[in-house]
Amino acid sequence: MFSNLTRSIALFGLLLGGTAADAAQELSGQNTCQPGTGSVSLVAPPPAPLPELTAANPDVQRKLDRRGTINLFGPWVETGRHPASDYGLTWHSWDEAPAGNSIWLKEMYWAYFYDRPDSRKAAYRFHVPELDSFLEPERWEHDPEYGSTYRIAYRTPGFVEYSAEVADRMLKGTGAEGLMFDWWIDNHPKMDRSEVQSIRQAMAKAIRAKVGDEPILLGNVGREKEVATMGQLNGVFMEYWKKVPADGYDCPDLLRMEELITYYDEALQQPKIVAFEPWRISQTKGDQDRRSPVNQYLAKLFSAMASVAPRNGYILYTDNQRDTDASDHEHVRYDFYKTDLGRAVSGRTIIAPGISYKRFEKGVAIYNISRQNAVVDFGGKTIEVRSVEGLFCKERKDGFDCI
Protein backbone atom coordinates (compact mmCIF):
# COMPACT_ATOMS: atom_id res chain seq x y z
CA MET A 1 0.00 0.00 0.00
CA PHE A 2 1.33 3.45 -0.85
CA SER A 3 0.20 7.02 -1.42
CA ASN A 4 0.21 8.01 -5.08
CA LEU A 5 0.36 11.77 -4.48
CA THR A 6 3.96 12.22 -5.66
CA ARG A 7 3.31 10.27 -8.84
CA SER A 8 0.06 12.16 -9.40
CA ILE A 9 1.82 15.52 -9.10
CA ALA A 10 4.57 14.46 -11.48
CA LEU A 11 2.18 13.17 -14.14
CA PHE A 12 -0.07 16.17 -13.74
CA GLY A 13 2.90 18.51 -14.12
CA LEU A 14 3.88 16.83 -17.39
CA LEU A 15 0.29 17.06 -18.60
CA LEU A 16 0.03 20.77 -17.99
CA GLY A 17 3.52 21.77 -19.04
CA GLY A 18 3.93 23.10 -15.48
CA THR A 19 3.28 21.69 -12.03
CA ALA A 20 0.22 20.91 -9.97
CA ALA A 21 1.56 23.46 -7.52
CA ASP A 22 1.34 26.07 -10.28
CA ALA A 23 -2.30 25.20 -10.84
CA ALA A 24 -3.08 25.24 -7.12
CA GLN A 25 -1.36 28.60 -6.71
CA GLU A 26 -3.24 30.08 -9.66
CA LEU A 27 -6.51 28.64 -8.32
CA SER A 28 -5.90 30.37 -4.99
CA GLY A 29 -5.68 33.69 -6.81
CA GLN A 30 -9.05 33.33 -8.57
CA ASN A 31 -12.57 34.19 -7.58
CA THR A 32 -13.46 30.51 -7.45
CA CYS A 33 -13.86 27.73 -4.89
CA GLN A 34 -10.74 27.56 -2.74
CA PRO A 35 -9.39 24.14 -1.73
CA GLY A 36 -9.56 23.24 1.94
CA THR A 37 -6.44 22.46 3.94
CA GLY A 38 -7.57 19.67 6.25
CA SER A 39 -7.17 15.98 5.50
CA VAL A 40 -9.20 12.87 6.15
CA SER A 41 -8.63 9.16 5.63
CA LEU A 42 -11.56 7.25 4.11
CA VAL A 43 -12.36 3.73 3.01
CA ALA A 44 -14.09 3.40 -0.36
CA PRO A 45 -17.40 1.52 -0.13
CA PRO A 46 -17.95 -1.36 -2.56
CA PRO A 47 -18.77 -0.06 -6.04
CA ALA A 48 -22.43 0.54 -6.77
CA PRO A 49 -24.01 -1.62 -9.47
CA LEU A 50 -23.88 -0.32 -13.02
CA PRO A 51 -27.34 1.09 -13.84
CA GLU A 52 -28.93 -0.46 -16.89
CA LEU A 53 -29.98 2.29 -19.26
CA THR A 54 -31.35 1.58 -22.69
CA ALA A 55 -32.24 3.77 -25.64
CA ALA A 56 -35.42 3.01 -27.59
CA ASN A 57 -33.53 3.71 -30.83
CA PRO A 58 -31.10 0.85 -31.59
CA ASP A 59 -28.72 3.22 -33.41
CA VAL A 60 -28.52 5.47 -30.37
CA GLN A 61 -27.94 2.44 -28.15
CA ARG A 62 -25.10 1.30 -30.40
CA LYS A 63 -23.45 4.71 -30.04
CA LEU A 64 -23.94 4.71 -26.28
CA ASP A 65 -22.26 1.31 -26.17
CA ARG A 66 -19.17 2.90 -27.73
CA ARG A 67 -18.72 5.37 -24.88
CA GLY A 68 -15.31 5.51 -23.25
CA THR A 69 -13.97 7.07 -20.08
CA ILE A 70 -14.29 10.80 -20.86
CA ASN A 71 -17.05 11.52 -23.36
CA LEU A 72 -17.14 14.86 -25.16
CA PHE A 73 -20.11 16.55 -26.78
CA GLY A 74 -20.23 19.29 -29.40
CA PRO A 75 -22.95 21.94 -28.98
CA TRP A 76 -23.44 23.78 -32.27
CA VAL A 77 -20.05 22.36 -33.20
CA GLU A 78 -18.33 24.04 -36.13
CA THR A 79 -17.11 21.12 -38.21
CA GLY A 80 -14.62 23.30 -40.06
CA ARG A 81 -12.64 23.57 -36.81
CA HIS A 82 -13.75 20.48 -34.91
CA PRO A 83 -14.57 17.20 -36.70
CA ALA A 84 -17.89 15.80 -35.52
CA SER A 85 -16.16 12.45 -35.08
CA ASP A 86 -14.40 13.93 -32.02
CA TYR A 87 -17.68 13.93 -30.10
CA GLY A 88 -20.12 11.33 -28.86
CA LEU A 89 -23.04 13.77 -29.01
CA THR A 90 -23.61 16.78 -31.28
CA TRP A 91 -26.36 19.15 -32.30
CA HIS A 92 -26.75 21.93 -34.81
CA SER A 93 -29.25 23.18 -37.37
CA TRP A 94 -27.71 21.00 -40.11
CA ASP A 95 -30.09 19.15 -42.40
CA GLU A 96 -28.08 15.94 -42.52
CA ALA A 97 -26.03 13.94 -40.07
CA PRO A 98 -22.32 14.79 -39.73
CA ALA A 99 -19.72 12.12 -40.32
CA GLY A 100 -18.71 9.85 -37.47
CA ASN A 101 -20.49 7.94 -34.73
CA SER A 102 -21.91 10.88 -32.83
CA ILE A 103 -25.49 10.89 -31.60
CA TRP A 104 -26.89 13.68 -33.76
CA LEU A 105 -29.70 15.97 -32.65
CA LYS A 106 -31.39 18.58 -34.82
CA GLU A 107 -31.97 21.93 -33.12
CA MET A 108 -35.63 22.93 -33.28
CA TYR A 109 -36.18 26.67 -32.95
CA TRP A 110 -39.35 27.33 -30.99
CA ALA A 111 -38.94 30.57 -29.02
CA TYR A 112 -37.41 33.01 -31.51
CA PHE A 113 -36.88 33.61 -35.22
CA TYR A 114 -33.59 34.74 -36.74
CA ASP A 115 -34.54 37.23 -39.46
CA ARG A 116 -31.91 36.32 -42.04
CA PRO A 117 -32.22 36.05 -45.84
CA ASP A 118 -31.90 32.25 -45.85
CA SER A 119 -33.83 31.48 -42.64
CA ARG A 120 -36.95 30.09 -44.28
CA LYS A 121 -34.89 27.93 -46.64
CA ALA A 122 -32.45 26.66 -44.03
CA ALA A 123 -32.86 26.69 -40.25
CA TYR A 124 -36.65 27.20 -40.43
CA ARG A 125 -37.46 25.26 -43.57
CA PHE A 126 -39.50 22.70 -41.63
CA HIS A 127 -41.49 25.53 -40.00
CA VAL A 128 -43.01 26.82 -43.24
CA PRO A 129 -45.55 27.51 -44.63
CA GLU A 130 -47.33 28.12 -41.31
CA LEU A 131 -44.44 30.00 -39.70
CA ASP A 132 -45.68 33.52 -40.48
CA SER A 133 -48.85 32.82 -38.51
CA PHE A 134 -46.71 32.43 -35.39
CA LEU A 135 -44.35 35.40 -35.64
CA GLU A 136 -44.59 38.50 -33.49
CA PRO A 137 -43.29 41.99 -34.38
CA GLU A 138 -41.67 42.24 -30.94
CA ARG A 139 -37.94 41.61 -30.89
CA TRP A 140 -36.44 38.83 -28.80
CA GLU A 141 -33.88 40.34 -26.42
CA HIS A 142 -30.85 38.57 -27.85
CA ASP A 143 -27.35 40.03 -27.80
CA PRO A 144 -26.60 42.17 -30.89
CA GLU A 145 -24.12 39.56 -32.16
CA TYR A 146 -27.03 37.31 -33.18
CA GLY A 147 -28.62 39.88 -35.47
CA SER A 148 -32.34 40.68 -35.82
CA THR A 149 -34.33 38.20 -33.77
CA TYR A 150 -38.08 38.15 -33.20
CA ARG A 151 -40.36 36.26 -30.89
CA ILE A 152 -42.18 33.19 -32.06
CA ALA A 153 -45.73 33.58 -30.79
CA TYR A 154 -45.89 30.38 -28.81
CA ARG A 155 -48.86 31.71 -26.84
CA THR A 156 -50.98 31.73 -29.98
CA PRO A 157 -53.75 29.08 -30.05
CA GLY A 158 -52.67 26.12 -32.16
CA PHE A 159 -48.94 26.60 -31.57
CA VAL A 160 -48.55 23.46 -29.45
CA GLU A 161 -50.04 21.28 -32.20
CA TYR A 162 -47.96 23.13 -34.79
CA SER A 163 -44.76 22.49 -32.81
CA ALA A 164 -45.46 18.76 -32.82
CA GLU A 165 -45.94 18.83 -36.61
CA VAL A 166 -42.67 20.72 -37.06
CA ALA A 167 -40.83 18.23 -34.83
CA ASP A 168 -42.16 15.31 -36.84
CA ARG A 169 -41.20 16.94 -40.15
CA MET A 170 -37.69 17.66 -38.92
CA LEU A 171 -37.03 14.13 -37.78
CA LYS A 172 -38.45 12.56 -40.91
CA GLY A 173 -36.78 15.09 -43.21
CA THR A 174 -33.28 14.83 -41.78
CA GLY A 175 -32.92 11.44 -40.14
CA ALA A 176 -31.77 13.09 -36.91
CA GLU A 177 -31.81 10.90 -33.82
CA GLY A 178 -33.53 13.52 -31.75
CA LEU A 179 -34.25 17.19 -31.18
CA MET A 180 -32.56 19.87 -29.12
CA PHE A 181 -34.54 22.79 -27.65
CA ASP A 182 -32.63 25.92 -26.67
CA TRP A 183 -33.93 28.20 -23.90
CA TRP A 184 -35.78 25.29 -22.31
CA ILE A 185 -36.36 27.32 -19.15
CA ASP A 186 -39.17 29.46 -17.76
CA ASN A 187 -37.19 32.70 -17.61
CA HIS A 188 -37.98 34.30 -20.98
CA PRO A 189 -37.79 38.05 -21.62
CA LYS A 190 -41.00 39.90 -20.73
CA MET A 191 -42.90 36.68 -20.07
CA ASP A 192 -44.60 35.23 -17.03
CA ARG A 193 -42.65 32.19 -15.83
CA SER A 194 -45.74 30.10 -15.11
CA GLU A 195 -47.10 30.78 -18.60
CA VAL A 196 -43.84 29.73 -20.27
CA GLN A 197 -43.74 26.59 -18.15
CA SER A 198 -47.30 25.67 -19.10
CA ILE A 199 -46.52 26.08 -22.80
CA ARG A 200 -43.31 24.09 -22.61
CA GLN A 201 -45.06 21.28 -20.77
CA ALA A 202 -47.84 21.13 -23.36
CA MET A 203 -45.27 21.22 -26.18
CA ALA A 204 -43.22 18.40 -24.71
CA LYS A 205 -46.27 16.18 -24.28
CA ALA A 206 -47.54 16.90 -27.80
CA ILE A 207 -44.15 16.34 -29.42
CA ARG A 208 -43.47 13.11 -27.57
CA ALA A 209 -46.93 11.80 -28.46
CA LYS A 210 -46.33 12.68 -32.11
CA VAL A 211 -42.78 11.36 -32.59
CA GLY A 212 -42.87 8.34 -30.28
CA ASP A 213 -40.29 7.00 -27.83
CA GLU A 214 -37.26 6.60 -30.08
CA PRO A 215 -36.07 10.21 -30.60
CA ILE A 216 -33.95 11.92 -27.97
CA LEU A 217 -35.60 15.11 -26.71
CA LEU A 218 -32.95 17.30 -25.06
CA GLY A 219 -33.45 20.74 -23.54
CA ASN A 220 -31.01 23.51 -22.63
CA VAL A 221 -31.82 23.92 -18.94
CA GLY A 222 -28.86 26.19 -18.18
CA ARG A 223 -28.23 26.28 -14.44
CA GLU A 224 -31.83 25.57 -13.53
CA LYS A 225 -33.68 22.57 -12.17
CA GLU A 226 -36.22 21.59 -14.81
CA VAL A 227 -39.22 19.70 -13.42
CA ALA A 228 -42.21 20.31 -15.71
CA THR A 229 -41.06 18.19 -18.68
CA MET A 230 -39.14 15.36 -17.03
CA GLY A 231 -41.82 12.95 -18.18
CA GLN A 232 -40.84 13.60 -21.81
CA LEU A 233 -37.18 14.69 -21.89
CA ASN A 234 -34.42 12.11 -21.98
CA GLY A 235 -31.54 14.56 -22.18
CA VAL A 236 -30.43 17.93 -20.79
CA PHE A 237 -27.80 20.47 -21.76
CA MET A 238 -26.44 22.04 -18.56
CA GLU A 239 -24.98 25.22 -20.04
CA TYR A 240 -23.51 26.46 -16.78
CA TRP A 241 -23.15 30.09 -17.81
CA LYS A 242 -21.63 32.81 -15.67
CA LYS A 243 -21.76 36.57 -15.94
CA VAL A 244 -18.11 37.42 -15.26
CA PRO A 245 -15.59 35.63 -17.51
CA ALA A 246 -12.71 36.18 -15.05
CA ASP A 247 -14.59 34.39 -12.28
CA GLY A 248 -14.69 30.68 -11.67
CA TYR A 249 -17.34 28.83 -9.70
CA ASP A 250 -17.59 29.14 -5.92
CA CYS A 251 -17.94 26.17 -3.58
CA PRO A 252 -21.77 26.32 -3.42
CA ASP A 253 -21.72 26.31 -7.25
CA LEU A 254 -19.78 23.04 -7.28
CA LEU A 255 -22.19 21.43 -4.84
CA ARG A 256 -25.14 22.72 -6.86
CA MET A 257 -23.64 21.26 -10.05
CA GLU A 258 -23.37 17.86 -8.37
CA GLU A 259 -26.92 18.16 -7.04
CA LEU A 260 -28.33 18.98 -10.48
CA ILE A 261 -26.37 16.25 -12.28
CA THR A 262 -27.61 13.74 -9.71
CA TYR A 263 -31.18 14.97 -10.08
CA TYR A 264 -31.18 14.75 -13.87
CA ASP A 265 -29.57 11.32 -13.81
CA GLU A 266 -32.57 10.15 -11.80
CA ALA A 267 -35.42 12.24 -13.23
CA LEU A 268 -34.80 12.02 -17.00
CA GLN A 269 -36.34 9.34 -19.13
CA GLN A 270 -34.00 6.70 -20.54
CA PRO A 271 -31.27 6.80 -21.68
CA LYS A 272 -30.75 9.83 -19.37
CA ILE A 273 -28.18 11.92 -21.28
CA VAL A 274 -26.53 14.71 -19.25
CA ALA A 275 -24.38 17.13 -21.30
CA PHE A 276 -22.43 19.33 -18.85
CA GLU A 277 -20.77 22.57 -20.03
CA PRO A 278 -18.93 24.70 -17.46
CA TRP A 279 -17.17 27.84 -18.72
CA ARG A 280 -13.48 28.59 -18.30
CA ILE A 281 -11.78 31.38 -16.38
CA SER A 282 -10.84 34.09 -18.87
CA GLN A 283 -8.58 36.92 -17.77
CA THR A 284 -8.47 38.46 -21.25
CA LYS A 285 -10.55 38.28 -24.41
CA GLY A 286 -9.06 35.69 -26.74
CA ASP A 287 -7.99 32.08 -26.61
CA GLN A 288 -4.72 32.36 -24.67
CA ASP A 289 -6.25 31.32 -21.33
CA ARG A 290 -7.66 28.01 -22.59
CA ARG A 291 -4.52 26.05 -21.71
CA SER A 292 -3.64 27.88 -18.51
CA PRO A 293 -2.82 25.57 -15.57
CA VAL A 294 -5.94 26.58 -13.67
CA ASN A 295 -8.25 25.92 -16.62
CA GLN A 296 -6.76 22.50 -17.28
CA TYR A 297 -7.05 21.75 -13.58
CA LEU A 298 -10.73 22.73 -13.49
CA ALA A 299 -11.46 21.02 -16.81
CA LYS A 300 -10.21 17.78 -15.31
CA LEU A 301 -12.33 18.25 -12.18
CA PHE A 302 -15.48 18.81 -14.25
CA SER A 303 -14.60 15.91 -16.55
CA ALA A 304 -14.37 13.64 -13.53
CA MET A 305 -17.74 14.87 -12.29
CA ALA A 306 -19.32 14.20 -15.71
CA SER A 307 -17.73 10.75 -15.89
CA VAL A 308 -18.65 9.70 -12.35
CA ALA A 309 -21.96 11.29 -11.30
CA PRO A 310 -24.28 10.46 -14.25
CA ARG A 311 -24.55 7.17 -16.09
CA ASN A 312 -24.47 8.76 -19.58
CA GLY A 313 -22.57 11.97 -18.92
CA TYR A 314 -20.85 14.17 -21.52
CA ILE A 315 -18.47 17.07 -20.88
CA LEU A 316 -17.21 20.17 -22.67
CA TYR A 317 -15.21 22.85 -20.89
CA THR A 318 -15.59 25.94 -23.04
CA ASP A 319 -14.98 29.62 -23.54
CA ASN A 320 -17.34 32.09 -21.99
CA GLN A 321 -19.82 33.61 -24.40
CA ARG A 322 -17.81 35.43 -27.03
CA ASP A 323 -14.38 35.12 -25.41
CA THR A 324 -13.38 35.04 -29.06
CA ASP A 325 -15.11 36.25 -32.21
CA ALA A 326 -15.19 32.77 -33.76
CA SER A 327 -18.33 31.39 -32.10
CA ASP A 328 -19.83 30.48 -28.77
CA HIS A 329 -18.77 27.19 -27.13
CA GLU A 330 -15.23 27.31 -28.52
CA HIS A 331 -12.77 25.02 -26.76
CA VAL A 332 -9.64 22.92 -27.01
CA ARG A 333 -9.18 19.17 -26.68
CA TYR A 334 -6.99 18.72 -23.63
CA ASP A 335 -4.59 15.79 -23.70
CA PHE A 336 -6.21 14.20 -20.65
CA TYR A 337 -9.47 13.87 -22.60
CA LYS A 338 -7.75 10.88 -24.25
CA THR A 339 -7.50 9.04 -20.91
CA ASP A 340 -8.48 5.43 -21.47
CA LEU A 341 -9.68 3.51 -18.43
CA GLY A 342 -12.08 1.56 -20.60
CA ARG A 343 -15.82 1.51 -20.06
CA ALA A 344 -17.63 2.04 -16.79
CA VAL A 345 -18.25 -1.16 -14.83
CA SER A 346 -20.00 0.40 -11.83
CA GLY A 347 -22.35 3.20 -11.00
CA ARG A 348 -21.43 6.30 -9.03
CA THR A 349 -20.36 5.37 -5.51
CA ILE A 350 -20.47 8.04 -2.81
CA ILE A 351 -17.51 7.87 -0.41
CA ALA A 352 -18.39 10.97 1.61
CA PRO A 353 -20.32 14.21 0.93
CA GLY A 354 -18.71 15.78 -2.15
CA ILE A 355 -16.45 12.76 -2.82
CA SER A 356 -17.50 10.07 -5.30
CA TYR A 357 -15.89 7.49 -7.55
CA LYS A 358 -16.75 5.14 -10.38
CA ARG A 359 -15.02 1.93 -11.38
CA PHE A 360 -13.89 1.45 -14.98
CA GLU A 361 -12.40 -1.58 -16.68
CA LYS A 362 -8.84 -0.40 -16.03
CA GLY A 363 -9.15 1.81 -12.99
CA VAL A 364 -11.06 4.51 -11.13
CA ALA A 365 -12.31 8.04 -11.77
CA ILE A 366 -12.78 10.10 -8.61
CA TYR A 367 -13.59 13.69 -7.69
CA ASN A 368 -13.52 15.70 -4.49
CA ILE A 369 -15.50 18.94 -4.15
CA SER A 370 -15.42 18.86 -0.35
CA ARG A 371 -13.26 21.23 1.71
CA GLN A 372 -10.90 18.45 2.83
CA ASN A 373 -8.10 16.57 1.14
CA ALA A 374 -8.81 12.86 1.25
CA VAL A 375 -6.75 9.67 1.24
CA VAL A 376 -9.11 6.94 0.04
CA ASP A 377 -8.35 3.27 0.61
CA PHE A 378 -9.43 0.89 -2.16
CA GLY A 379 -8.76 -2.54 -0.65
CA GLY A 380 -5.20 -1.73 0.39
CA LYS A 381 -4.40 0.62 -2.49
CA THR A 382 -4.79 4.34 -1.85
CA ILE A 383 -5.63 7.38 -3.89
CA GLU A 384 -4.98 10.84 -2.51
CA VAL A 385 -7.47 13.27 -4.01
CA ARG A 386 -7.14 16.86 -2.97
CA SER A 387 -9.93 19.25 -2.17
CA VAL A 388 -11.43 20.59 -5.43
CA GLU A 389 -9.77 18.00 -7.65
CA GLY A 390 -10.70 15.32 -10.13
CA LEU A 391 -8.49 12.33 -10.95
CA PHE A 392 -8.42 9.50 -13.47
CA CYS A 393 -6.42 6.61 -12.03
CA LYS A 394 -5.17 3.53 -13.84
CA GLU A 395 -4.92 0.58 -11.50
CA ARG A 396 -1.64 -1.31 -11.11
CA LYS A 397 -0.85 -4.42 -9.18
CA ASP A 398 0.56 -2.37 -6.32
CA GLY A 399 -1.45 0.85 -6.56
CA PHE A 400 -2.75 3.52 -8.93
CA ASP A 401 -1.23 5.90 -11.48
CA CYS A 402 -3.35 9.05 -11.47
CA ILE A 403 -3.55 12.12 -13.65
Side-chain angles (χ1 to χ4, degrees), residues 6-21:
T6 301
R7 179 181 295 160
S8 176
I9 289 176
L11 288 172
F12 190 43
L14 290 172
L15 177 70
L16 298 183
T19 67

Side-chain angles (χ1 to χ4, degrees), residues 53-353:
L53 299 181
T54 56
N57 183 334
D59 289 335
V60 171
Q61 185 62 50
R62 176 179 56 81
K63 293 174 181 180
L64 291 173
D65 289 341
R66 295 171 62 93
R67 286 166 45 85
T69 306
I70 300 174
N71 299 279
L72 304 184
F73 74 103
W76 296 281
V77 64
E78 298 290 342
T79 54
R81 288 188 291 272
H82 306 286
S85 57
D86 288 348
Y87 309 92
L89 169 72
T90 56
W91 61 78
H92 212 298
S93 56
W94 306 314
D95 279 342
E96 59 183 25
N101 287 290
S102 177
I103 297 170
W104 172 51
L105 310 180
K106 170 81 170 168
E107 181 182 7
M108 177 176 157
Y109 295 109
W110 69 279
Y112 47 80
F113 172 73
Y114 289 124
D115 189 17
R116 298 168 182 168
D118 64 343
S119 288
R120 287 174 171 81
K121 294 181 180 180
Y124 295 85
R125 73 182 181 94
F126 295 101
H127 292 65
V128 296
E130 306 97 329
L131 176 63
D132 288 333
S133 301
F134 295 101
L135 291 183
E136 292 186 1
E138 184 179 5
R139 289 185 180 272
W140 178 271
E141 294 182 355
H142 249 167
D143 291 337
E145 68 195 60
Y146 297 105
S148 296
T149 311
Y150 295 90
R151 287 183 180 276
I152 290 180
Y154 49 70
R155 292 174 292 186
T156 302
F159 178 79
V160 168
E161 295 77 11
Y162 165 67
S163 69
E165 290 293 334
V166 172
D168 192 47
R169 291 176 203 164
M170 295 182 83
L171 292 170
K172 290 177 178 176
T174 63
E177 291 158 324
L179 300 171
M180 183 272 173
F181 306 95
D182 201 11
W183 278 81
W184 200 249
I185 56 176
D186 297 332
N187 186 22
H188 284 198
K190 301 178 182 178
M191 287 286 293
D192 179 76
R193 292 178 66 97
S194 63
E195 187 176 15
V196 178
Q197 181 182 106
S198 177
I199 292 164
R200 290 193 305 103
Q201 189 172 45
M203 276 182 61
K205 289 179 179 179
I207 291 172
R208 180 59 79 190
K210 183 71 175 179
V211 304
D213 294 333
E214 284 200 3
I216 300 295
L217 300 184
L218 180 145
N220 183 355
V221 296
R223 303 169 60 118
E224 298 193 16
K225 182 178 181 178
E226 167 64 9
V227 175
T229 58
M230 286 297 97
Q232 293 76 42
L233 291 192
N234 39 21
V236 290
F237 172 35
M238 291 177 57
E239 185 180 17
Y240 225 83
W241 57 271
K242 51 190 175 74
K243 292 182 178 179
V244 182
D247 285 352
Y249 297 99
D250 61 24
C251 297
D253 273 332
L254 298 185
L255 295 173
R256 177 63 171 170
M257 290 172 176
E258 182 188 50
E259 176 187 334
L260 287 172
I261 291 172
T262 301
Y263 165 73
Y264 286 123
D265 194 52
E266 295 172 353
L268 285 166
Q269 301 302 300
Q270 294 211 31
K272 301 177 185 286
I273 292 173
V274 178
F276 179 39
E277 186 197 80
W279 291 1
R280 67 177 169 94
I281 294 175
S282 299
Q283 300 293 349
T284 58
K285 184 176 174 65
D287 60 8
Q288 58 266 38
D289 290 329
R290 289 179 186 158
R291 295 189 183 274
S292 69
V294 70
N295 276 316
Q296 295 201 53
Y297 187 92
L298 289 173
K300 191 156 65 71
L301 167 64
F302 294 132
S303 296
M305 292 177 69
S307 295
V308 171
R311 173 64 178 89
N312 283 326
Y314 293 83
I315 183 66
L316 198 69
Y317 186 66
T318 72
D319 291 358
N320 297 265
Q321 188 180 46
R322 292 297 174 179
D323 274 352
T324 66
D325 294 328
S327 70
D328 296 346
H329 314 281
E330 270 299 302
H331 56 279
V332 292
R333 288 176 56 85
Y334 300 112
D335 288 343
F336 73 83
Y337 283 159
K338 301 174 185 176
T339 300
D340 180 18
L341 301 179
R343 290 175 50 78
V345 296
S346 84
R348 171 194 177 192
T349 306
I350 299 174
I351 303 170

